[in-house]
Coordinates of all heavy atoms in Angstrom, one line a residue:
I1 N -36.7 -23.7 24.0 CA -35.5 -24.4 23.9 C -34.3 -23.3 23.6 O -33.2 -23.5 24.1 CB -35.5 -25.3 22.8 CG1 -36.4 -26.4 22.9 CG2 -34.1 -26.0 22.5 CD1 -36.8 -27.3 21.9
N2 N -34.6 -22.2 22.9 CA -33.5 -21.2 22.5 C -33.4 -20.3 23.7 O -32.4 -19.4 23.6 CB -33.9 -20.5 21.3 CG -34.0 -21.3 20.0 OD1 -33.4 -22.3 20.0 ND2 -34.7 -20.8 19.1
S3 N -34.1 -20.4 24.8 CA -34.0 -19.3 25.8 C -32.8 -19.5 26.7 O -32.3 -20.5 26.8 CB -35.3 -19.3 26.6 OG -35.4 -20.5 27.4
K4 N -32.6 -18.4 27.5 CA -31.6 -18.4 28.4 C -31.8 -19.3 29.6 O -30.9 -20.0 30.3 CB -31.3 -17.0 29.0 CG -30.9 -15.9 28.0 CD -30.8 -14.5 28.6 CE -30.4 -13.6 27.4 NZ -30.4 -12.1 27.9
D5 N -33.0 -19.5 30.1 CA -33.4 -20.2 31.3 C -33.7 -21.7 31.0 O -33.8 -22.5 31.9 CB -34.7 -19.6 31.9 CG -34.5 -18.2 32.5 OD1 -33.3 -17.9 32.7 OD2 -35.5 -17.6 32.8
A6 N -33.9 -22.1 29.6 CA -34.2 -23.4 29.3 C -33.3 -24.6 30.0 O -33.8 -25.5 30.6 CB -34.2 -23.5 27.9
P7 N -32.1 -24.4 29.9 CA -31.1 -25.5 30.6 C -31.5 -25.8 32.0 O -31.7 -26.9 32.4 CB -29.7 -24.9 30.4 CG -29.8 -24.1 29.1 CD -31.1 -23.4 29.3
E8 N -31.7 -24.6 32.8 CA -32.0 -24.7 34.2 C -33.4 -25.3 34.3 O -33.5 -26.1 35.2 CB -31.8 -23.4 34.9 CG -32.3 -23.4 36.4 CD -32.1 -22.0 37.0 OE1 -31.6 -21.1 36.2 OE2 -32.5 -21.8 38.1
L9 N -34.3 -24.8 33.6 CA -35.7 -25.4 33.7 C -35.8 -26.7 33.4 O -36.5 -27.6 34.0 CB -36.7 -24.4 33.0 CG -36.9 -22.9 33.5 CD1 -37.6 -22.2 32.6 CD2 -37.6 -23.1 34.9
A10 N -35.2 -27.1 32.3 CA -35.2 -28.5 31.8 C -34.7 -29.4 32.9 O -35.1 -30.5 33.1 CB -34.6 -28.6 30.5
E11 N -33.6 -29.0 33.5 CA -32.9 -29.9 34.5 C -33.9 -30.1 35.8 O -33.8 -31.3 36.3 CB -31.7 -29.1 35.0 CG -30.9 -29.9 36.1 CD -30.3 -31.2 35.5 OE1 -30.0 -31.3 34.1 OE2 -29.9 -32.1 36.2
L12 N -34.9 -29.3 36.1 CA -35.8 -29.4 37.1 C -36.8 -30.5 36.9 O -37.1 -31.2 37.8 CB -36.6 -28.1 37.4 CG -35.8 -26.9 37.9 CD1 -36.8 -25.7 37.9 CD2 -35.3 -27.3 39.3
G13 N -37.1 -30.7 35.6 CA -38.0 -31.8 35.2 C -39.5 -31.3 35.2 O -39.7 -30.2 35.6
T14 N -40.3 -32.2 34.9 CA -41.7 -31.8 34.9 C -42.5 -32.3 36.2 O -41.8 -32.7 37.2 CB -42.5 -32.7 33.8 OG1 -42.2 -34.0 34.0 CG2 -41.9 -32.3 32.5
S15 N -43.6 -31.9 36.5 CA -44.3 -31.9 37.7 C -45.5 -32.8 37.7 O -45.6 -33.9 38.3 CB -44.7 -30.5 38.2 OG -45.4 -30.7 39.5
C16 N -46.5 -32.5 36.8 CA -47.7 -33.4 36.7 C -47.3 -34.9 36.5 O -46.5 -35.2 35.6 CB -48.6 -32.9 35.5 SG -50.1 -33.9 35.3
P17 N -47.9 -35.6 37.3 CA -47.4 -37.0 37.3 C -47.6 -37.7 35.9 O -46.8 -38.6 35.4 CB -48.2 -37.7 38.3 CG -49.2 -36.9 38.7 CD -48.7 -35.5 38.4
D18 N -48.7 -37.4 35.2 CA -48.9 -37.9 33.8 C -47.7 -37.5 32.9 O -47.3 -38.2 32.2 CB -50.2 -37.3 33.2 CG -51.4 -38.3 33.6 OD1 -51.4 -38.7 34.7 OD2 -52.2 -38.5 32.7
H19 N -47.3 -36.3 33.2 CA -46.2 -35.8 32.3 C -44.9 -36.6 32.3 O -44.3 -37.1 31.4 CB -45.9 -34.2 32.5 CG -47.1 -33.4 32.1 ND1 -47.1 -32.1 32.3 CD2 -48.2 -33.7 31.6 CE1 -48.2 -31.6 31.9 NE2 -49.0 -32.4 31.4
F20 N -44.4 -36.8 33.6 CA -43.1 -37.3 33.8 C -43.1 -38.8 33.6 O -42.1 -39.5 33.5 CB -42.3 -36.9 35.1 CG -42.9 -37.4 36.3 CD1 -42.8 -38.5 36.8 CD2 -43.5 -36.4 37.2 CE1 -43.3 -38.9 38.0 CE2 -43.9 -36.7 38.3 CZ -43.9 -38.1 38.9
L21 N -44.3 -39.5 33.7 CA -44.3 -40.9 33.3 C -43.9 -41.2 32.0 O -43.3 -42.3 31.5 CB -45.7 -41.5 33.7 CG -45.9 -41.8 35.1 CD1 -47.4 -42.2 35.3 CD2 -45.0 -42.9 35.7
R22 N -44.1 -40.1 31.1 CA -43.8 -40.3 29.6 C -42.4 -39.5 29.3 O -41.6 -40.1 28.6 CB -44.8 -39.6 28.8 CG -46.3 -40.2 28.8 CD -46.4 -41.5 28.2 NE -47.7 -41.9 28.1 CZ -48.2 -42.9 27.5 NH1 -47.4 -43.7 26.6 NH2 -49.5 -43.3 27.4
T23 N -42.3 -38.4 29.9 CA -41.0 -37.7 29.6 C -39.8 -38.0 30.5 O -38.8 -37.4 30.3 CB -41.4 -36.1 29.8 OG1 -41.5 -35.9 31.3 CG2 -42.6 -35.7 29.1
K24 N -40.1 -39.0 31.5 CA -39.0 -39.3 32.4 C -38.7 -38.1 33.4 O -39.4 -37.1 33.3 CB -37.7 -39.9 31.8 CG -37.9 -41.1 31.0 CD -36.6 -41.7 30.4 CE -35.8 -42.5 31.3 NZ -36.4 -43.9 31.4
I25 N -37.8 -38.4 34.3 CA -37.6 -37.3 35.4 C -37.2 -36.0 34.8 O -37.5 -34.9 35.3 CB -36.6 -37.7 36.4 CG1 -36.5 -36.9 37.6 CG2 -35.3 -38.0 35.7 CD1 -37.7 -36.8 38.4
K26 N -36.6 -36.0 33.6 CA -36.2 -34.7 33.0 C -35.7 -35.0 31.5 O -35.4 -36.1 31.2 CB -34.9 -34.0 33.7 CG -33.7 -34.9 33.6 CD -32.5 -34.2 34.3 CE -31.2 -35.1 34.3 NZ -30.1 -34.4 34.9
P27 N -35.8 -34.0 30.6 CA -35.3 -34.2 29.3 C -33.7 -34.1 29.2 O -33.1 -33.6 30.3 CB -35.9 -33.1 28.6 CG -36.0 -31.9 29.5 CD -36.2 -32.6 30.9
L28 N -33.2 -34.4 28.2 CA -31.8 -34.0 27.9 C -31.7 -32.8 27.1 O -32.2 -32.7 26.0 CB -31.1 -35.1 27.1 CG -29.7 -34.9 26.5 CD1 -28.7 -34.5 27.7 CD2 -29.2 -35.9 25.6
Y29 N -31.1 -31.8 27.8 CA -30.8 -30.5 27.0 C -29.5 -30.5 26.4 O -28.4 -30.7 27.2 CB -31.0 -29.3 27.9 CG -30.9 -27.9 27.2 CD1 -32.1 -27.4 26.8 CD2 -29.7 -27.3 27.0 CE1 -32.0 -26.1 26.1 CE2 -29.6 -26.2 26.4 CZ -30.7 -25.5 25.8 OH -30.8 -24.3 25.2
V30 N -29.3 -30.5 25.1 CA -28.0 -30.6 24.4 C -27.4 -29.0 24.2 O -28.0 -28.3 23.7 CB -28.1 -31.2 23.1 CG1 -26.9 -31.3 22.5 CG2 -28.7 -32.6 23.2
T31 N -26.3 -28.8 24.8 CA -25.7 -27.5 24.8 C -25.0 -27.5 23.3 O -24.0 -28.1 23.0 CB -24.7 -27.4 25.7 OG1 -25.3 -27.5 27.1 CG2 -24.0 -26.0 25.8
W32 N -25.6 -26.8 22.4 CA -25.1 -26.5 21.1 C -25.5 -25.2 20.6 O -26.7 -24.8 20.7 CB -25.6 -27.7 20.2 CG -25.2 -27.7 18.8 CD1 -23.8 -27.9 18.3 CD2 -25.9 -27.4 17.5 NE1 -23.8 -27.8 16.9 CE2 -25.1 -27.6 16.5 CE3 -27.3 -27.1 17.3 CZ2 -25.5 -27.4 15.2 CZ3 -27.7 -26.9 16.1 CH2 -26.7 -27.1 14.9
D33 N -24.6 -24.5 19.9 CA -24.9 -23.1 19.3 C -25.1 -23.3 17.9 O -24.2 -23.6 17.1 CB -23.7 -22.1 19.7 CG -24.0 -20.8 19.1 OD1 -24.9 -20.6 18.4 OD2 -23.5 -19.8 19.7
P34 N -26.4 -23.2 17.4 CA -26.7 -23.4 16.0 C -26.0 -22.5 15.1 O -25.9 -22.7 13.9 CB -28.2 -23.3 15.8 CG -28.6 -22.5 17.2 CD -27.7 -22.8 18.1
G35 N -25.7 -21.2 15.6 CA -25.0 -20.2 14.8 C -23.5 -20.4 14.7 O -22.9 -19.9 13.8
E36 N -22.9 -21.1 15.6 CA -21.5 -21.2 15.6 C -20.9 -22.7 15.4 O -19.9 -22.9 14.8 CB -20.9 -20.6 16.9 CG -21.2 -19.2 17.2 CD -20.5 -18.3 16.3 OE1 -19.5 -18.6 15.8 OE2 -21.1 -17.2 16.0

C-alpha cells in the first residue's frame, strides 16, 4: 500500500476469478500522505 506502484496496480484489479468475486473489480486506493 505504501509503494510507488500501488495506485496503478490496484487500479488494474485482481485476476483469479475467486479473488475478484470477493474483492470486486478493483479496490479503492485512497490518496493520503500519512506524514503530511
Side-chain angles (χ1 to χ4, degrees):
I1 298 171
N2 293 341
S3 71
K4 295 174 183 175
D5 294 344
E8 180 181 349
L9 290 169
E11 184 67 20
L12 291 175
T14 53
S15 178
C16 179
D18 271 41
H19 291 177
F20 66 72
L21 281 173
R22 300 282 188 173
T23 64
K24 300 182 82 78
I25 187 64
K26 64 179 180 180
L28 168 61
Y29 187 93
V30 179
T31 304
W32 182 67
D33 186 337
E36 300 291 336

